[in-house]
Amino acid sequence: PFRRTYPKPRSSRGLLKREEKEEPREEISFIDVSPDFWGYEAIKSLSSKGIINGYKDGSFMPDNSITRAEFGKIVFTAFKLHADIPNPIQFADVNEKEWYYDCLASLSAIGILKGEDGKIFPDREITREEAATLIKRCVDAVNSELKAQRESSPFIDADEISDYAKENVDILYRAGVINGDGTGRFCPKDNLSRGEASAMVYNVLNIIGGEIL
């Protein structure tokens, strides 16, 4: 079966915003992520910085889908985002006692994560086009920029990308953050996997890392 490809990551350099660079945690290994796995470096790097975590049994499950709340927590941690929230966020499906409340509340206050019909759908799997849009909004939120490294995306399913996500997907592709699959498709409506989420965040942080220290 084909797998989606990602640009070769640039050399890793300061990935934290505003705060002093943290000492890396003890290297973490997962029983289902071997050194020859395509997303090994991304998963290894982000897990060592506490940006992503695995499961209690020692697995990472890179092919599993990831929810909007889980991806929100990853970008919230990766970009060191925080906002003063004077009032509780008004979403019918988010309880203040949930583990993801603080990060989703901050993302919502900043304008990165948006709801629909009074809901934010934290437990719904996030799609590839939604993830690309959140990444672009995070880059904007830290006043950084993704400079084009190549021509616009040649995806053969570009007409399937939602209007709100078209520019975001194109910018991330031209900057070298994302690629499509082995057939030339972006598969915008497909659920993002945990491995793909790691690669996307790792790539964008390596590209703009020096600018958000």
Side-chain angles (χ1 to χ4, degrees):
F2 68 79
R3 66 169 176 81
R4 298 186 180 94
T5 58
Y6 283 82
K8 184 178 180 181
R10 302 180 182 205
S11 59
S12 180
R13 47 198 177 95
L15 304 184
L16 303 181
K17 180 176 82 72
R18 289 189 289 270
E19 300 177 3
E20 291 185 4
K21 185 176 180 180
E22 296 176 352
E23 291 298 322
R25 302 190 305 177
E26 181 179 348
E27 185 171 315
I28 300 173
S29 60
F30 299 107
I31 58 176
D32 55 350
V33 181
S34 61
D36 60 353
F37 178 66
W38 65 268
Y40 174 77
E41 288 299 330
I43 293 170
K44 174 184 174 182
S45 177
L46 297 189
S47 64
S48 73
K49 294 173 173 61
I51 295 174
I52 59 173
N53 296 295
Y55 295 92
K56 291 182 179 180
D57 64 358
S59 66
F60 183 73
M61 301 185 185
D63 295 326
N64 280 17
S65 58
I66 186 168
T67 66
R68 285 165 58 85
E70 291 169 338
F71 191 72
K73 178 65 182 301
I74 289 175
V75 298
F76 174 79
T77 304
F79 286 87
K80 298 293 180 182
L81 297 167
H82 179 74
D84 292 328
I85 307 167
N87 300 303
I89 57 174
Q90 302 298 316
F91 291 112
D93 55 351
V94 176
N95 189 300
E96 290 185 55
K97 296 180 180 180
E98 294 289 352
W99 62 267
Y100 50 70
Y101 177 80
D102 286 343
C103 68
L104 296 195
S106 288
L107 294 178
S108 174
I110 297 169
I112 292 173
L113 187 61
K114 301 179 180 181
E116 180 182 346
D117 298 326
K119 296 182 179 181
I120 208 164
F121 307 103
D123 299 320
R124 189 175 71 188
E125 286 84 2
I126 194 167
T127 64
R128 288 167 55 79
E129 65 179 8
E130 288 175 336
T133 297
L134 259 63
I135 289 289
K136 178 57 170 60
R137 289 173 182 165
C138 286
V139 172
D140 292 342
V142 297
N143 298 314
S144 192
E145 182 183 2
L146 292 173
K147 297 179 181 179
Q149 303 295 325
R150 54 185 173 181
E151 298 298 321
S152 292
S153 56
F155 301 127
I156 61 177
D157 59 351
D159 60 338
E160 297 176 17
I161 301 174
S162 298
D163 289 341
Y164 77 85
K166 285 183 184 294
E167 183 179 9
N168 301 316
V169 170
D170 185 56
I171 289 173
L172 263 61
Y173 174 83
R174 287 188 290 126
V177 177
I178 58 175
N179 277 334
D181 63 23
T183 68
R185 292 177 169 81
F186 178 66
C187 306
K189 303 297 190 293
D190 282 8
N191 293 334
L192 189 75
S193 73
R194 287 168 55 82
E196 291 170 342
S198 301
M200 185 181 292
V201 173
Y202 178 70
N203 285 341
V204 74
L205 289 181
N206 278 320
I207 289 171
I208 70 172
E211 300 175 24
I212 61 173
L213 285 174

